[in-house]
């Protein structure tokens, strides 16, 4: 699981399940290479006493080419991420039963890492359902935290088919009470990461025809209703970005979205 810190947003490659936090002018410190941080936070309903504290380690490294250097932070927890397969057990071909906890940990860990680094990005770009709780946390558990006062979020949906749906019992693990949820977020049937991202992000972008179709059709389920409710805050990106020219156009369009959103930070 990784967080990217980048000097120029135009060069960013968007990947599902990544949370990229942007600041328009960043002086990268070479001394941060190899940085390790320990983070820990209570995991579960805030009303409960004695919840386990889940610790994460953060390591820093660089991705470089001839022109630029991108700083990357890796958030790790051996219990949750020290296994074969990202979502499924390769031996059984079945989803890990604790996938809800794993990605709740990741989303909380991203925000806790930023605080420990003292790095206040203007924009956090969340890609796909794995990061969907980050916008939700910023407008619920962290809404009164002055550290995140001026942080805005973009959430990119690629498809409505894969959306991180978990049973209702998973909601209590987020630490967010039902009374705090947005009216655009229907969690009656359970916790849905993608729906959370659609409901809480300041701007939603769609990449792919399936997600874009969900904006125009009549709402049939919670995800489509969430898209309909946010249709004035959705920017549809072209799906033709597999060649060099297409990637440049997509990057330029994202930069325009960043700049417009940053004006309100």
């Amino acid at each position: 699981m990784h967080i990217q810190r980048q000097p120029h947003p135009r060069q960013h490659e968007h990947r599902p399940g990544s949370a990229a936090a942007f600041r328009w002018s960043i002086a990268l410190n070479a001394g941060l290479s190899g940085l390790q941080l320990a983070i820990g936070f209570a995991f579960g309903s805030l009303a409960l006493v004695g919840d386990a504290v889940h610790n994460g380690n953060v390591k820093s490294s660089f991705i470089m080419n001839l022109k630029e250097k991108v700083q990357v932070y890796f958030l790790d927890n051996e219990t949750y991420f020290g296994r074969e397969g990202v979502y499924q057990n390769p031996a059984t071909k079945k989803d890990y039963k604790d996938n809800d906890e794993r990605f709740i940990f990741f989303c909380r860990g991203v925000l806790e890492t930023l605080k420990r680094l003292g790095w206040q990005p203007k924009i956090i770009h969340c890609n796909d359902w794995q990061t969907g709780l980050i916008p939700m946390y910023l407008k619920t558990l962290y809404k009164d935290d002055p550290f995140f006062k001026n942080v805005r979020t973009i959430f990119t949906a690629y498809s409505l088919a894969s959306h991180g749906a978990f049973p209702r019992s998973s909601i209590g693990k987020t630490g967010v009470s039902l009374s705090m949820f947005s009216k655009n977020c229907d969690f009656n049937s359970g916790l849905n990461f993608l729906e959370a991202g659609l409901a809480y992000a300041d701007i939603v972008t769609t990449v792919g025809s399936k997600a874009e179709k969900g904006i125009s059709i009549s709402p049939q389920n919670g995800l489509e209703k969430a898209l309909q409710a946010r249709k004035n805050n959705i920017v549809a990106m072209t799906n033709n970005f597999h060649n060099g020219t297409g990637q440049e156009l997509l990057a330029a369009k994202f930069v325009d979205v960043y700049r417009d959103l940053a004006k309100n930070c």
Side-chain angles (χ1 to χ4, degrees), residues 109-186:
V110 167
L111 298 177
E112 292 297 326
T113 297
L114 291 175
K115 292 187 70 173
R116 282 157 179 75
L117 290 172
W119 173 29
Q120 294 174 294
K122 288 187 176 181
I123 296 171
I124 301 177
H125 189 157
C126 302
N127 284 277
D128 222 342
W129 70 261
Q130 300 89 341
T131 64
L133 297 191
I134 293 175
M136 182 190 78
Y137 277 133
L138 287 173
K139 293 186 177 177
T140 53
L141 293 185
Y142 293 85
K143 68 182 179 66
D144 295 322
D145 190 328
F147 187 86
F148 296 106
K149 180 180 178 180
N150 296 316
V151 175
R152 301 293 182 266
T153 57
I154 296 174
F155 180 76
T156 295
Y158 295 84
S159 170
L160 301 186
S162 177
H163 42 78
F166 300 97
R168 190 176 174 83
S169 58
S170 298
I171 296 175
K173 299 177 183 180
T174 67
V176 180
S177 64
L178 288 174
S179 62
M180 300 176 72
F181 286 123
S182 165
K183 63 181 180 180
N184 296 328
C185 206
D186 181 12

Side-chain angles (χ1 to χ4, degrees), residues 4-13 22 24 26 28 61-72 251 255:
Q4 290 187 202
R5 185 176 186 177
Q6 189 154 329
H8 197 298
R10 182 177 294 276
Q11 301 297 326
H12 177 61
E13 181 180 353
F22 290 91
W24 296 107
I26 296 176
L28 294 181
S61 187
F62 295 106
I63 297 175
M64 299 180 65
N65 62 23
L66 295 177
K67 295 182 179 180
E68 294 185 321
K69 177 168 60 177
V70 178
Q71 190 165 4
V72 181
V255 169

